Amino acid sequence: MKRNFLLILLGFLMVVFPFSTQALAADQTVTVNPLPLKFFINGSEKTPTEGQPSFIHQGTTYVPLRFVTESLGQSVKWDGDTLTVWIGETPAMAKQKIVVGCDPTFPPFESLEPNNKYIGFDIDLMQAVARAEGLEVEFKNVSFDQLFSSLLADQVDAVISGISITEERKKRFLFSQPYFTYGQVIAVKSNNSSINKLSDLAGKSVAVQGGSYASGLVEQQVSAKLHPFDTVEQVLTELKKGQVDAAICDFPSASTYIRTNNDIKLLGELISPEEMGIAVAQNKPELLNQINNGLQKIIESGEYAKIYQQWFGDNTWHTAS
């Protein structure tokens, strides 16, 4: 509604301003007859303030443009050099909009609520970076296997979805500074003081997700008794019940689980760490600079730490710096 109304006003101005210029050039006198006038903006009654009356000239009713735009919550600016009226933001004020692709099936990094609202660590992080750089961000649902092709096809400006920075990927895309360190983590009962590192698992019973990286890791490096399960939740539940001495799984999943199960703790040793970054196409180095600048700003301001703590608690050895 507001948009249509503003478009009508712009059309009105295209007629009024040429007429006004001619009238002044011809030194014509314009007789102003103030009128009592009421406005209804989104159903709320508005009345002109003193000194802003409407008036009739040669059968046409004129309404002060500044009053109407301010009633709509918009600003108005007149550029005398170009004979242009700006309603709302001028080009210098308008925010640059970027479309960011993500696969919202990877909590706690990103997920989609029933009302189609994106939530998660990556979402909050990207929004904070955008605010810091005066950008407007729009998220686009893209399956993980299509994220990089969507960048190449210019369907999105950037992608964030728990993406590991690898040398192979860096040959084709530009990556931000790392914002998160991902990897496998050892979980034990909160009262367990005998297991502090990977080598301590020798001879212990260890729950893992069957066929996962953690499963192969334990088999290759530690002489432990493996107990494979279908899901990470089953792995950690088995540990919670005391059926195994320890569990190994990916840090995000473990962190999410222990938020509601504080009888389990995570050890500080991150196994096979991988750094995550925000990717952009190689032809957008300016956008990459904006993203890196925004990341650095929110790290220095402490906003990053607040977002991290919200989603991962006090396990701060995986944060960006």
Side-chain angles (χ1 to χ4, degrees):
M1 175 181 174
K2 289 183 180 179
R3 181 181 179 87
N4 292 336
F5 189 66
L6 292 176
L7 290 174
I8 293 172
L9 282 175
L10 284 174
F12 168 76
L13 287 169
M14 293 175 66
V15 175
V16 172
F17 276 109
F19 166 79
S20 300
T21 303
Q22 292 173 6
L24 291 172
D27 200 24
Q28 296 179 4
T29 301
V30 176
T31 302
V32 175
N33 297 311
L35 296 174
L37 191 67
K38 290 183 179 181
F39 291 88
F40 285 86
I41 307 297
N42 291 334
S44 298
E45 182 179 329
K46 307 287 184 180
T47 55
T49 57
E50 185 177 353
Q52 290 185 316
S54 59
F55 62 90
I56 296 176
H57 175 65
Q58 294 184 351
T60 301
T61 301
Y62 294 86
V63 178
L65 177 62
R66 185 174 298 279
F67 167 73
V68 177
T69 55
E70 289 179 353
S71 297
L72 291 169
Q74 301 289 331
S75 61
V76 59
K77 182 178 180 181
W78 162 248
D79 187 338
D81 294 330
T82 60
L83 301 182
T84 302
V85 173
W86 296 103
I87 299 175
E89 294 180 335
T90 65
M93 297 164 55
K95 292 182 179 179
Q96 174 190 349
K97 181 178 180 180
I98 59 171
V99 179
V100 178
C102 68
D103 181 0
T105 61
F106 188 36
F109 289 97
E110 45 268 316
S111 57
L112 201 57
E113 292 189 324
N115 60 357
N116 288 324
K117 179 183 178 182
Y118 290 85
I119 63 169
F121 174 73
D122 281 352
I123 304 302
D124 288 351
L125 177 82
M126 195 69 236
Q127 289 174 333
V129 168
R131 284 194 302 271
E133 285 298 294
L135 302 173
E136 178 184 350
V137 62
E138 174 189 329
F139 292 101
K140 184 175 182 179
N141 191 336
V142 182
S143 62
F144 192 86
D145 60 350
Q146 296 296 315
L147 284 173
F148 289 111
S149 60
S150 68
L151 271 181
L152 292 174
D154 204 28
Q155 295 170 344
V156 296
D157 300 302
V159 292
I160 183 171
S161 206
I163 299 171
S164 298
I165 303 173
T166 67
E167 291 303 316
E168 188 62 31
R169 288 171 175 171
K170 286 166 65 175
K171 294 177 183 177
R172 303 176 63 201
F173 305 96
L174 301 177
F175 277 90
S176 70
Q177 68 179 79
Y179 69 87
F180 190 89
T181 304
Y182 176 92
Q184 303 294 309
V185 68
I186 301 171
V188 295
K189 296 282 284 185
S190 296
N191 58 0
N192 187 316
S193 59
S194 63
I195 298 176
N196 298 288
K197 55 185 181 298
L198 184 63
S199 58
D200 290 340
L201 297 179
K204 306 291 185 180
S205 57
V206 180
V208 295
Q209 188 174 11
S212 67
Y213 175 82
S215 176
L217 178 73
V218 175
E219 288 179 335
Q220 294 172 17
Q221 297 191 26
V222 184
S223 177
K225 303 171 185 176
L226 280 183
H227 296 263
F229 295 91
D230 292 335
T231 67
V232 172
E233 184 175 3
Q234 289 175 330
V235 168
L236 294 170
T237 299
E238 197 71 4
L239 173 63
K240 178 181 174 68
K241 289 160 52 178
Q243 299 301 311
V244 293
D245 299 311
I248 298 182
C249 57
D250 66 271
F251 166 68
S253 298
S255 178
T256 300
Y257 184 87
I258 67 171
R259 288 172 70 181
T260 55
N261 295 273
N262 55 16
D263 55 342
I264 293 176
K265 67 180 180 180
L266 305 181
L267 303 185
E269 181 182 10
L270 192 63
I271 306 168
S272 300
E274 297 178 3
E275 294 180 323
M276 293 181 178
I278 303 166
V280 303
Q282 288 187 335
N283 63 350
K284 295 186 177 180
E286 297 85 1
L287 176 58
L288 181 69
N289 287 337
Q290 288 178 292
I291 290 172
N292 277 329
N293 289 338
L295 270 171
Q296 198 57 42
K297 287 177 183 177
I298 67 172
I299 289 171
E300 292 174 357
S301 70
E303 186 173 6
Y304 175 93
K306 292 179 181 178
I307 296 171
Y308 183 96
Q309 203 279 334
Q310 176 188 348
W311 291 100
F312 300 106
D314 297 323
N315 302 293
T316 56
W317 64 90
H318 306 292
T319 59
S321 59

